[in-house]
Amino acid sequence: MDATDLDYRARTRSGCIPPELVSRLLERGHVDVVELQAGRGEWFCALAWARLLGAQGRQADALEVLAPYLATGWWTAVAAAAELLEGWGRVDEATEITRVRMEAGHLMALESYARLLARHGRAEEAFTLLRPHIGEQSLGVVLVDVAAAAGRDEEAAALLAARTEHRCSDFPWCCRGLDRDTAIGLLARIRERQGRTDEAVALLRTGSTMLLDNREQLAALLARHGRLDELRAAAATDDSRYAVQRLARLLEERGDVEGAIAAYRQADGPLGGDPNSAFELAQLLARHGRGNEAIDVMRVQADARNGDDWILHTLSDLCLDQGRPEDGLAHLAALAAARGGEEDWDLYWIRLPLIAARDGVDEAIAQARAHPEGASSYAAPHIAELLASAGRTEEAVAVLEQHASANSHDLAGYLIDLGRVEDVLAVLQRRTPRPPELSDGSWHDDPPF
């Protein structure tokens, strides 16, 4: 095995059995296939099989399964093995394999090692280890988490306060690590857990840009502490929508559904132009049995942003959920006419579930195939889904087999359902050449740069 190859296949989900299909194999009783493939370089099979063995008390066998992957030095395998070992109570072994990788210079291993130490009574040691890395954003976050267990909140706060004094002279090139606004957010976390909520709020309101993350953190903090007046004031002025969202959620949790709806409908809210808040309002209305109002909200957005597929999807789904497929189709047809009457497949297929609900699956399939792009590789999964939903899995497979390379995961899923495991492996384990590695960061005079 080779760490680079394992990493590429795991990241791209290519030339391998992806985790969702490993789960499907297990659900359909193909445990023997997963066991066999675990020993043949299929990482997601190996991980699932090791977890099963561990759950059966066969820890030695589980580690034997992972051993070839660990031998490559691949961090993903190391992290998975450490997680298993910790779960089995073998903390010293988990710590040791993580430490070895950390000492080899792996940044993520340092983070995992520090968190392991902190979880098992060695927070002081973890804090000392992380302290020199306060300037690195991901490790700064870990240091703040570890500081509480180590009883060193004030020391962490002092380190962060020093970072908040820095102002970039050449943004964004100056602070590639822990920038001022991120440091403010982390310092506010410390102050909040110390009970110094007013200081945390004041911190999050500072900064030249008021980073979006800090706006979200401020809204969440105000909601956690029930500071409704301040949250309302933030919702009225914050264009990031975080405060409106938190205010509405808090009011809904308290049983004030009308107040939550009013929060979304405030001036310059969803009806004035924010499609994300409109979506949240529609979901809120639907949760409380007001689906028809939810449809009206999304219809306004669809009219205003005709052609935005996610808005049309939401509108279609709401019509389907409310048993109004005919109305949904009428809405979509009117919107299509406003766009000139012709629809590419990426918008056309949205109507297929509505057609199936109103006129049946065969009519939906017929209309799909009549579309100019109905025989394309990207139309095949939608037609296959219609067939499979009607229990016609063999036909779904036949449709996808015409474009197997472009739809390998969808095809494999249906093949698993049919018990055609050998065909599954043939489809998924077809290797394609790996693209060239990216530059290592050094300069070159000739391409690729």
Side-chain angles (χ1 to χ4, degrees):
M1 294 182 192
D2 172 75
T4 302
D5 182 60
L6 286 168
D7 190 64
Y8 174 77
R9 287 192 286 133
R11 283 187 295 104
T12 63
R13 304 294 200 263
S14 61
C16 70
I17 308 174
E20 65 275 11
L21 293 182
V22 174
S23 297
R24 201 155 170 171
L25 283 166
L26 292 173
E27 288 165 5
R28 300 295 189 275
H30 300 293
V31 180
D32 56 332
V33 175
V34 173
E35 179 184 5
L36 181 64
Q37 295 301 315
R40 294 184 174 180
E42 286 287 352
W43 163 246
F44 296 112
C45 286
L47 182 57
W49 182 234
R51 285 172 175 163
L52 280 174
L53 290 172
Q56 296 168 5
R58 297 168 59 187
Q59 296 173 7
D61 292 336
L63 291 176
E64 187 176 341
V65 169
L66 296 181
Y69 301 88
L70 287 169
T72 68
W74 185 35
W75 167 245
T76 300
V78 175
E83 181 183 349
L84 286 174
L85 287 164
E86 184 184 14
W88 299 334
R90 296 164 63 171
V91 176
D92 288 344
E93 292 170 77
T95 304
E96 178 60 19
I97 65 169
T98 309
R99 181 193 62 77
V100 170
R101 200 70 183 90
M102 176 196 69
E103 290 180 350
H106 198 287
L107 189 66
M108 292 176 68
L110 173 55
E111 176 179 342
S112 293
Y113 182 67
R115 289 193 183 279
L116 257 171
L117 293 177
R119 284 197 296 271
H120 296 282
R122 298 168 65 182
E124 280 273 357
E125 186 179 342
F127 187 91
T128 301
L129 185 66
L130 291 167
R131 196 181 188 285
H133 300 278
I134 184 64
E136 297 170 47
Q137 185 166 326
S138 62
L139 295 179
V141 172
V142 182
L143 182 137
V144 168
D145 292 340
V146 165
R152 296 173 74 171
D153 268 347
E154 279 306 322
E155 188 175 345
L159 292 169
L160 291 166
R163 304 289 301 186
T164 66
E165 297 301 317
H166 172 74
R167 293 184 182 274
C168 291
S169 58
D170 186 22
F171 184 82
W173 308 112
C174 178
C175 288
R176 295 191 179 186
L178 186 65
D179 62 90
R180 176 175 182 266
D181 284 317
T182 303
I184 286 172
L186 291 173
L187 181 55
R189 280 180 53 192
I190 292 175
R191 295 309 183 212
E192 183 187 5
R193 74 185 179 211
Q194 289 178 320
R196 297 158 66 173
T197 309
D198 289 340
E199 287 181 56
V201 169
L203 278 164
L204 291 171
R205 285 177 172 154
T206 64
S208 57
T209 61
M210 191 157 182
L211 192 71
L212 283 178
D213 285 349
N214 287 357
R215 294 190 199 183
E216 185 175 14
Q217 185 179 346
L218 174 60
L221 186 155
L222 294 172
R224 277 195 299 273
H225 294 274
R227 298 169 72 147
L228 264 176
D229 290 342
E230 292 170 87
L231 194 52
R232 289 185 196 279
T237 58
D238 183 8
D239 61 2
S240 70
R241 96 173 190 277
Y242 293 127
V244 172
Q245 184 184 71
R246 287 290 181 173
L247 174 61
R249 286 180 182 176
L250 180 60
L251 291 169
E252 184 184 11
E253 288 169 3
R254 293 182 172 191
D256 185 3
V257 175
E258 291 301 328
I261 293 169
Y264 282 125
R265 291 189 185 276
Q266 66 182 325
D268 296 324
L271 302 184
D274 180 4
N276 295 299
S277 290
F279 172 80
E280 289 156 7
L281 172 57
Q283 299 302 305
L284 169 65
L285 290 165
R287 280 197 300 274
H288 293 277
R290 297 165 66 170
N292 290 333
E293 292 175 68
I295 289 172
D296 291 340
V297 168
M298 292 311 299
R299 178 64 193 272
V300 170
Q301 292 300 315
D303 287 339
R305 294 172 175 77
N306 192 358
D308 281 11
D309 58 351
W310 74 271
I311 291 175
L312 299 182
H313 273 293
T314 303
L315 176 61
S316 174
D317 289 344
L318 284 168
C319 288
L320 201 58
D321 291 343
Q322 295 304 310
R324 294 173 54 185
E326 188 165 344
D327 290 340
L329 287 167
H331 292 333
L332 294 178
L335 292 165
R339 292 194 299 272
E342 294 185 7
E343 285 189 305
D344 291 336
W345 182 262
D346 61 345
L347 294 180
Y348 182 82
W349 79 267
I350 295 170
R351 68 188 59 208
L352 295 179
L354 294 168
I355 297 171
R358 186 189 67 178
D359 303 319
V361 168
D362 285 331
E363 179 61 25
I365 292 170
Q367 292 199 32
R369 285 176 167 155
H371 188 275
E373 298 167 81
S376 65
S377 62
Y378 45 84
H382 303 123
I383 296 173
E385 185 176 359
L386 289 168
L387 289 163
S389 68
R392 295 155 64 177
T393 308
E394 291 276 7
E395 292 176 68
V397 165
V399 168
L400 290 169
E401 282 179 331
Q402 298 174 50
H403 310 281
S405 61
N407 298 294
S408 59
H409 289 186
D410 290 314
L411 174 57
Y414 294 131
L415 288 169
I416 290 170
D417 294 343
L418 293 173
R420 293 169 54 181
V421 176
E422 290 302 319
D423 292 336
V424 170
L425 298 179
V427 166
L428 292 176
Q429 294 177 336
R430 186 181 297 124
R431 298 296 181 90
T432 55
R434 197 166 73 222
E437 295 295 324
L438 295 176
S439 166
D440 62 4
S442 56
W443 289 99
H444 300 276
D445 294 324
D446 299 313
F449 296 105

